[in-house]
Amino acid sequence: MKILAFDYGATSGRAILGNFDGKVLTLEETHRFPSDPVMVNGTYTWDILRLYHELKKGILNTVNMGHSDIASIGIDTWGVDFGLISKDGKLLGNPVHYRDARTDGMIEEASETVSLKDIYGTTGIQFQKFNTLYQLLAMKKANDPLLDIADTLLFVPDLFNYFLTGVKKCEYTITSTSQMYDPVKGDWAYDMLEKFGIRTDILPEVIPAGTKIGNLKEDICAELGIPSIPVIAVAEHDTGSAVVSVPFSDKKAAYLSSGTWSLLGLELDKPIINEKMRELNYTNEGGINNSVRLLKNIMGLWINTECMRTWEKLGETVTFKYLAETASKSEPFRSLIDVDDPRFFEPFDMPNKIMDYCRETGQPVPRNKGEFSRCINESLALKYREAIEGLDEIVGYRIPALHIVGGGCQNNLINQFTANAINRPVITGPVEATAIGNLITQLIALGEIKDLDEGREVIKNSFPMTTFEPQDTEAWDAAYAKLRKLSGKA
């Protein structure tokens, strides 16, 4: 059986064809494209119609490669961002990028209407200034006319599903990232939203992952010259799909989805919403089978990528492999940063931001690319320790191991650093976690795989994994104490 996954990331997207023979899943990339945002008149936006064009191109490329028998299509993307649809079905402007500055200060302003304690108590979602809630409040504050004429709000993958099928629904895992959903009631947080004056009539039905949305519309089939194909709402938040792919050997183990963002957490049956969770700023996002992904959002490989982008603007070609090699030869723990310091969230000129942080904290400034990379990788590994120890405290037991999935797990240097920092085994793989989870969800929806447990057995049979054992733990303990002191947490 052939199924097609579209995985949209912050810098690139791709179409991955899955071929399932009943026991083993194999992958074939059939299309890849950039997904870079565009700055227009001071607003950071997604070029959504170009991204939709690449979606159609990916379907056509796959068919033209001899795969006209596609059983279904599923789409996953980043969270929180959305498009607005008018009454006559038209898209109202380009969706704004979550890194746009319009939400600066909105958490504080929101707390003047509804306390942070009540926002968290209702939604169980980590406070991040880019959450959909604060995007809508920023639009409301600016008297954005689009809010008045909108008929429907759709998150980015739901928007693509609408373009393909004409059906307007919001899938559970992507909806849960918005800080507008009540995971206990299992519906939009209507009472809270009404207190903010946010229109709730634009919010569509929320459906579970694995729901068939509909089939490709006739006009798309005619345009592309292809047969109609079912579209399935997978775990549409990319981390939701990535967690589907985690080949847990112990259900108490944690996962880390490593990419532009690092998301470290546990898969649970029910949300945990209490004062300790709020204090530590952990989140309860949705998962497949209406499960909960209790996790911490961490800045992730974004910092590496932004350094590379800066160097490339200077005409210097840099690869992740080169950075890992030069980092491995650099002095350990020379400089450390708090990767979640707000300055590292903003795009552009990342090396200077790192140097500024080091100067401000009385540390040596990185002098070359190897030292920058070593600083970032060690700091990330130490942040993972902070996150996993927070989880230990929340659930009341020592988490036995950490599974790292996604593109970041190809970096063996940071894999070993992480094992050292957390003093627990790290199991890596699969690399193509998000696409694999997307495909597995489609196969479950189609009845080809019985359930999630069987799906994870298929993953174990299909993709390699590697284990990293802790080393040099005393040195990493000292480095952790140093970073805690630098970030004011000691």
Side-chain angles (χ1 to χ4, degrees), residues 235-434:
E236 291 179 358
H237 186 217
D238 48 13
T239 309
S241 275
V243 172
V244 170
S245 78
V246 178
F248 289 111
S249 53
D250 185 332
K251 291 193 175 182
K252 288 187 174 181
Y255 60 81
L256 170 63
S257 176
S258 178
T260 300
W261 287 92
S262 290
L263 301 107
L264 193 155
L266 297 167
E267 186 176 57
L268 303 177
D269 294 331
K270 296 179 180 180
I272 297 177
I273 303 175
N274 56 37
E275 192 58 24
K276 175 59 66 176
M277 281 279 292
R278 185 174 78 87
E279 176 189 326
L280 296 175
N281 206 21
Y282 282 70
T283 199
N284 293 274
E285 295 179 356
I288 191 172
N289 298 334
N290 290 318
S291 62
V292 170
R293 295 175 285 124
L294 190 157
L295 60 84
K296 185 78 165 181
N297 280 283
I298 301 165
M299 202 67 75
L301 298 178
W302 156 260
I303 300 177
N304 266 316
T305 302
E306 280 299 291
C307 284
M308 293 169 67
R309 201 190 310 272
T310 298
W311 293 324
E312 286 167 1
K313 286 179 181 176
L314 299 173
E316 304 172 37
T317 301
V318 183
T319 64
F320 279 112
K321 182 180 179 182
Y322 170 79
L323 289 178
E325 289 174 351
T326 55
S328 67
K329 300 171 185 175
S330 298
E331 179 184 345
F333 311 123
R334 182 174 183 272
S335 309
L336 297 171
I337 60 173
D338 180 351
V339 296
D340 284 334
D341 186 285
R343 77 187 79 195
F344 302 125
F345 176 82
E346 306 294 339
F348 311 126
D349 204 14
M350 192 63 73
N352 269 329
K353 293 175 182 176
I354 293 172
M355 290 190 289
D356 287 344
Y357 183 95
C358 291
R359 291 189 193 101
E360 291 169 16
T361 52
Q363 299 181 88
V365 170
R367 298 165 296 188
N368 53 53
K369 294 180 179 64
E371 290 184 354
F372 275 105
S373 182
R374 182 103 189 187
C375 167
I376 295 166
N377 289 344
E378 288 178 341
S379 300
L380 269 175
L382 292 167
K383 180 60 73 168
Y384 299 156
R385 171 170 173 169
E386 181 180 279
I388 202 167
E389 288 184 352
L391 287 174
D392 288 342
E393 187 176 349
I394 289 166
V395 296
Y397 60 81
R398 179 176 168 82
I399 293 163
L402 177 67
H403 288 265
I404 303 181
V405 299
C409 79
Q410 297 174 93
N411 184 334
N412 287 337
L413 182 68
I414 197 169
N415 294 336
Q416 186 61 62
F417 282 178
T418 302
N420 300 347
I422 68 174
N423 195 16
R424 317 169 205 223
V426 165
I427 304 102
T428 64
V431 173
E432 296 288 356
T434 303

Side-chain angles (χ1 to χ4, degrees), residues 79-97:
V80 306
D81 292 340
F82 59 91
L84 296 173
I85 304 297
S86 66
K87 287 183 179 180
D88 60 354
K90 300 295 195 318
L91 177 65
L92 299 171
N94 279 322
V96 176
H97 194 288

Side-chain angles (χ1 to χ4, degrees), residues 150-290:
D151 181 70
T152 309
L153 179 148
L154 294 172
F155 298 103
V156 170
D158 300 312
L159 190 61
F160 289 139
N161 287 341
Y162 165 65
F163 288 160
L164 292 178
T165 67
V167 177
K168 292 179 279 190
K169 306 283 186 184
C170 285
E171 184 273 330
Y172 165 57
T173 69
I174 200 79
T175 301
S176 72
T177 67
S178 65
Q179 208 165 28
M180 296 166 51
Y181 186 82
D182 185 329
V184 176
K185 292 182 178 178
D187 205 348
W188 297 101
Y190 289 111
D191 292 345
M192 183 191 76
L193 296 174
E194 286 168 3
K195 289 177 184 176
F196 283 121
I198 292 174
R199 288 179 55 196
T200 59
D201 59 314
I202 63 174
L203 304 176
E205 176 189 359
V206 179
I207 57 175
T211 302
K212 178 182 173 181
I213 293 287
N215 280 43
L216 296 184
K217 295 187 296 183
E218 290 183 6
D219 61 321
I220 294 174
C221 295
E223 175 190 354
L224 302 181
I226 60 174
S228 185
I229 302 171
V231 176
I232 292 171
V234 295
E236 291 179 358
H237 186 217
D238 48 13
T239 309
S241 275
V243 172
V244 170
S245 78
V246 178
F248 289 111
S249 53
D250 185 332
K251 291 193 175 182
K252 288 187 174 181
Y255 60 81
L256 170 63
S257 176
S258 178
T260 300
W261 287 92
S262 290
L263 301 107
L264 193 155
L266 297 167
E267 186 176 57
L268 303 177
D269 294 331
K270 296 179 180 180
I272 297 177
I273 303 175
N274 56 37
E275 192 58 24
K276 175 59 66 176
M277 281 279 292
R278 185 174 78 87
E279 176 189 326
L280 296 175
N281 206 21
Y282 282 70
T283 199
N284 293 274
E285 295 179 356
I288 191 172
N289 298 334
N290 290 318

